[in-house]
Amino acid sequence: MEGQPSMLLQAASAFHPPPGKKITYGTAGFRADATILSSTVFRAGVLAVLRSLKNGGAAVGLMITASHNPVGDNGVKIADPGGGMMAQSWEPFADALAGAATAEDFVEIVLVFAAKEEIPIGRLEKSEVLLARDSRPSGATLIEAAKMGIASVAGAVAIDMGILTTPQLHWMVRQRNRGWGSSEMDYFLQLSNSFRSLIELSGEEPMASGYDPVLLVDAANGVGGGKLKELVKLLGAGIEIHVRNCGEEGEGLLNEGVGADFVQKEKTIPHGFTAQDTGKRCASLDGDADRIVYFTIRANDENKVDLVDGDKILSLFALFISEHLAIIADADDEKEDKKTKKKTLGVVQTAYANGASTEFLREMGVAVALAPTGVKHLHAMAAQYDVGIYFEANGHGTVLFAPGFLTKLQDLANLCSGTMREKAARTLLAVSEVVNQAVGDALSGMLLAEVILWHRGWSMQDWASLYQDLPSRQLKVKVANRNAVSTTESETRVVDPPGLQDAIDAETAKYNAGRSFVRPSGTEDVVRVYAEASTQAAADALAASVALHVSHYLSA
Ligand code: NG1
Ligand code: ZN
């Protein structure tokens, strides 16, 4: 073999996929024990180059992270040129690449796919991959494997951005392809400048404000802690952020008893927090800082927390944004806008969103759409509105602004100088800058939440009492083949196996405000069961009986 094929073959021959282990590109990229990942990461490097070549040489991102998984795991995922997740249509190709048994098979798959997709591989055409990794020790060697993958395609350029949060890398890819500043300092400056603009636009803090300037942050002993400390230096007066669990000496292990995933699932105080923090506003990031939840430590129940999850963050954002959209649409000469206001703002949740949050949003007059689990689905749906907000209950989400709508806001701000409408338009423009529009971002989401609480003069209690969560229960059922379950209507109804949905319906009907659904997990070998009802005992009982039906219908 000559040229490109032999370059690929030679490089690929240094890496061997783990025998008997199938690693697939799931909801969040490839993830596995770090010791078996180097071949997958090498191949993901090649995949990233192909993705760039397919997009005319635009920069794509390659992130080494396993998010909230234990420190021994790692993973790799690709960011598309727009900054979002890699197009789903390429996932089967990604799986085929990772699964190729030999280097020869791998090269063959690459060449056949490149020919089919008309990807100019080996012609020295420009392509670019921005790489980064989170703070996991295994990341250092894995990133080298990714670079070798990139170097095995003629003309491909790898740019190592170092240790970053996942959303920072996605942001950089998006910025770079738009010809905008894409350094880490650009990121910090954009977030901090727009944060300070929002505070200024808010005017004076409300009288008798319940807002406490102190925020305690649990950084999961991950990459987000150090980054947040950098950001805090630029925020100025008015907010006092104390960062804990930064992964420094003596602070404990990544994601172990700490972080957003732990706090949300266990509703328990993370390490590094004590009864002395009771009543304080606290927040937890996950290991790569793309998720955030807030919480307070309960008085007299010192292990437990009151959780303010993704649904409540979403509700807070929706309240603030719709209030500002209403000001814009309120002027007499804008009757049209007023009528269409509800179409302007849309909110996207998954079936896991607490029913009380969905009802709260609908009562506010906001359009609520349901997407299947996985942020790529939510993101795509949210992009259909002028302003689309999406969140998973677990704290992953963001706000998207349509480019045309941003132009409209800019024009309006210029036209209505000195009015409330100008202020509202400028506020929304600043919101579009503070949020990370590429992907959910714990740091930027936190800044927006803080601004809104400050603006309203709200305490955590004020925020928490927007609505009362309905009691809920999540269970996992181990089954022989989770993919024997297929669903429809955004995972709320089972299609296969036949009869299971009727059984779920019959159970649900027994409970006041009952709701339950099941779906195969995309990241674990289980079927997940969710149930909600008017009391905790009822939610538990409903979940347990639905889980029994799942076991029954899926037993061999
Ligand atoms: P799966 O395992 O497909 O349920 C989980 C989370 C998702 C998302 C992905 C990716 C729940 C119920 N599911 O997916 O929301 O975060 O992991 O990390 O929380
Ligand atoms: Zn994460």
Side-chain angles (χ1 to χ4, degrees), residues 27-28 31 67-68 264-265 291 352 373-375 392 394 396 474 519-524 528:
T27 338
R31 245 181 236 189
S67 185
H68 57 274
Q264 193 232 355
K265 289 214 173 94
R291 272 161 62 173
Y352 291 104
T373 303
V375 285
E392 291 189 314
N394 64 23
H396 194 154
Q474 257 196 67
R519 57 173 276 280
S521 160
T523 60
E524 284 178 70
R528 293 195 197 282

